[in-house]
Amino acid sequence: MFKRKNNKKGFTIVELTIVVSVIAILSAVLIPTFAGVTKKARQTADEAAVRNMNTALAQKIEVENPDIFDVSTALSENGFAAENGLFPTLKDHAFYWHKPSNTIVYVKTKDGAFDLVFPKNVKDFSENTCQALGTKISAAAAVAPAAPADTTAKPAGTTANMPADIDTFEELVEWSNGSNGKVETTLPSGAKKEGVAFSGNIKLTEDLVLGKKGNAGRSMAYNITGDTTIDLNGFSITQANAGTGQSLAFFAVRSGVTLTIIDSSTAKTGAIKVGNTAFQIDAGATVNMYSGTITLAEDRSAADIAYGASLVWTYGGTFNMYGGTLDVASTDFDLNWAISNSGVANLFAGKVVGYIDESANIYDITK
């Protein structure tokens, strides 16, 4: 009987060592190459997206001076989901809109850099001339509502000492500027708040000075208790200097209410001028600002000057800035703030001069 000889052999340690070494060498050479090929492919795809977006802008934008929301709308109409933010595939890069040339650009942003990658022929390129397309914002939400045809605002709630025959905003203003003693409003919720209350639309046809009479020499508050649109229409509303006291928040926007601020004038010179705070936005309330200027009054009480200012105070509510200007008109930004945020502050577009609470969501604004 013959036995079959087994000639099978395994790999020796030397052979295995050689194979492993060869694999390591190949990996060291090829992996960076593959990574480089992937990076180049992503950059090429991003640059192609930039070309397509610029083609869309050239075809769709017809306005003379487009803004970021015109760009967002044009891109969305051409298949780019601009309302959700546009982001490149390559890490540490971003898409921006270069306003002077109305061009989408591809920018390297790694480690705080702001370097133009594509297209290379863009002039006057800087961070100040560009706006990011990574903003998650609905283009529709950024479109200002139509201006009211006239003023429909009326007194709301009940106010101590207020005559029963006051039923228009104009009469409310006249009475509140000339009233004496304590002015207190009972809100629909039953709560009592210092100041007078109104709701409805306001379209300014002249400059107004409001709130001359408050408690303890303070300028009075106007409680907004129902959805309201204020169209500055090129005019101003100024909070009066009532005396030596500290001013109350000029417009106190109560829970469940939306206040909209627009300026339908061509020159956009409308303004709200206050002693310290233009808007106190209660929890559940919203202020949407599309145009106009919020700033400090020229004639402020000594108490207001000493106390400082916070033009917008999100007292648990929400402030959405889609345009316009917040300007504390001061170099003392430690004392005078543009936004004090204990709610939600979304600064989508516009200009802010003054300190911004670090918890605010800053998108595309000029500072």
Side-chain angles (χ1 to χ4, degrees):
M1 186 176 186
F2 297 96
K3 292 184 178 180
R4 183 177 295 177
K5 187 176 182 180
N6 189 354
N7 291 322
K8 291 183 178 180
K9 294 182 179 180
F11 292 107
T12 66
I13 294 297
V14 173
E15 290 171 331
L16 288 173
T17 302
I18 293 173
V19 170
V20 171
S21 299
V22 171
I23 292 174
I25 293 171
L26 291 175
S27 298
V29 173
L30 294 179
I31 289 178
T33 301
F34 290 147
V37 169
T38 301
K39 180 178 179 181
K40 183 63 178 176
R42 289 179 175 175
Q43 180 172 329
T44 300
D46 291 340
E47 292 178 1
V50 169
R51 290 190 187 93
N52 292 334
M53 285 189 282
N54 283 323
T55 299
L57 292 191
Q59 294 174 345
K60 286 290 183 179
I61 291 190
E62 299 177 353
V63 296
E64 185 175 348
N65 294 304
D67 58 26
I68 189 66
F69 305 115
D70 295 320
V71 172
S72 176
T73 300
L75 294 178
S76 295
E77 290 176 352
N78 279 268
F80 295 95
E83 67 275 10
N84 294 320
L86 293 172
F87 304 92
T89 60
L90 192 58
K91 183 180 178 182
D92 297 322
H93 287 67
F95 295 134
Y96 278 78
W97 173 55
H98 182 248
K99 186 172 182 178
S101 64
N102 188 28
T103 301
I104 306 301
V105 293
Y106 185 47
V107 179
K108 184 177 181 180
T109 57
K110 185 176 182 179
D111 298 328
F114 197 80
D115 301 326
L116 179 63
V117 177
F118 180 82
K120 291 290 189 181
N121 60 344
V122 175
K123 297 180 180 180
D124 188 27
F125 171 81
S126 71
E127 194 167 357
N128 292 331
T129 60
C130 295
Q131 289 184 272
L133 294 181
T135 301
K136 293 185 178 181
I137 175 177
S138 168
V143 177
D150 51 26
T151 296
T152 62
K154 294 183 178 181
T158 57
T159 302
N161 305 325
M162 187 174 77
D165 59 352
I166 294 179
D167 57 9
T168 69
F169 180 73
E170 290 79 3
E171 292 172 343
L172 176 67
V173 170
E174 182 178 359
W175 174 81
S176 63
N177 280 346
S179 63
N180 294 310
K182 185 177 182 180
V183 178
E184 188 176 73
T185 294
T186 301
L187 302 180
S189 63
K192 292 184 179 295
K193 300 289 184 179
E194 187 175 348
V196 295
F198 73 87
S199 65
N201 296 331
I202 298 172
K203 186 180 182 70
L204 294 187
T205 56
E206 61 180 349
D207 295 332
L208 291 180
V209 178
L210 303 181
K212 292 182 179 179
K213 296 292 184 180
N215 292 340
R218 301 191 297 182
S219 184
M220 190 167 51
Y222 283 76
N223 297 294
I224 301 179
T225 57
D227 290 350
T228 297
T229 295
I230 298 178
D231 178 8
L232 298 172
N233 194 29
F235 296 97
S236 64
I237 303 178
T238 301
Q239 185 176 30
N241 179 350
T244 58
Q246 178 188 321
S247 297
L248 296 171
F250 197 16
F251 294 112
V253 188
R254 301 306 179 187
S255 181
V257 171
T258 297
L259 171 64
T260 301
I261 304 296
I262 61 174
D263 182 1
S264 64
S265 69
T266 302
K268 306 297 183 189
T269 53
I272 296 176
K273 304 176 181 181
V274 298
N276 55 49
T277 298
F279 309 124
Q280 174 189 314
I281 311 171
D282 287 356
T286 301
V287 172
N288 296 320
M289 181 176 175
Y290 293 91
S291 51
T293 296
I294 312 299
T295 189
L296 296 175
E298 292 86 355
D299 181 25
R300 301 169 67 205
S301 71
D304 282 338
I305 294 173
Y307 179 77
S310 180
L311 295 180
V312 175
W313 179 23
T314 57
Y315 189 54
T318 300
F319 176 68
N320 295 315
M321 186 175 183
Y322 299 111
T325 300
L326 299 177
D327 187 354
V328 297
S330 170
T331 56
D332 189 357
F333 292 154
D334 289 334
L335 191 62
N336 297 304
W337 288 28
I339 296 176
S340 176
N341 184 41
S342 57
V344 178
N346 297 313
L347 309 183
F348 293 117
K351 181 179 180 180
V352 177
V353 179
Y355 186 84
I356 302 171
D357 193 298
E358 62 183 10
S359 62
N361 301 313
I362 301 175
Y363 295 89
D364 296 306
I365 63 168
T366 302
K367 294 186 288 183

